[in-house]
Amino acid sequence: MKKRPIIILSLITVLLMIPLIAMQFTNQVNWSVGDFIVMAMLLYGTGVLCEFAIRRITTISYRYLTIVLILLCCLVIWAELSVGLFSTLFELAK
């Protein structure tokens, strides 16, 4: 098995552990189980899409462009979910 997917998934797991650990020491971080599920879906989905782009796209410039676009989409969704930056349909789900 390739090492890159394992590294990507491990880094995402470590990222998800940061708020879990912070919740043990401060009341300023207050995530519910749903928050962890949504962020896990967002981060793991982004990681899988980036890995798919790395494997399938052979032209280097298209590969980098695709990965940047995937990461930008992830950041936009994260910003919308966290503070409602763009007032989209995500607000209706709250």
Side-chain angles (χ1 to χ4, degrees):
M1 186 167 190
K2 305 260 182 184
K3 290 184 180 180
R4 188 176 50 236
I6 295 171
I7 292 170
I8 290 172
L9 296 177
S10 298
L11 288 174
I12 292 169
T13 303
V14 169
L15 279 174
L16 286 171
M17 290 177 66
I18 292 171
L20 181 66
I21 293 169
M23 285 173 51
Q24 308 305 313
F25 297 106
T26 182
N27 291 333
Q28 293 179 349
V29 179
N30 187 17
W31 281 29
S32 68
V33 174
D35 294 330
F36 281 102
I37 291 171
V38 169
M39 283 309 295
M41 288 172 42
L42 180 64
L43 292 175
Y44 285 123
T46 302
V48 167
L49 284 174
C50 287
E51 176 64 24
F52 184 75
I54 290 170
R55 287 184 185 213
R56 297 291 177 170
I57 300 173
T58 56
T59 307
I60 298 296
S61 59
Y62 288 149
R63 182 185 301 168
Y64 287 143
L65 177 64
T66 303
I67 291 172
V68 166
L69 289 175
I70 291 168
L71 294 175
L72 282 174
C73 287
C74 175
L75 287 174
V76 167
I77 293 170
W78 172 67
E80 178 60 32
L81 289 173
S82 64
V83 294
L85 194 61
F86 301 108
S87 300
T88 63
L89 295 176
F90 289 123
E91 276 188 18
L92 298 176
K94 289 184 182 179

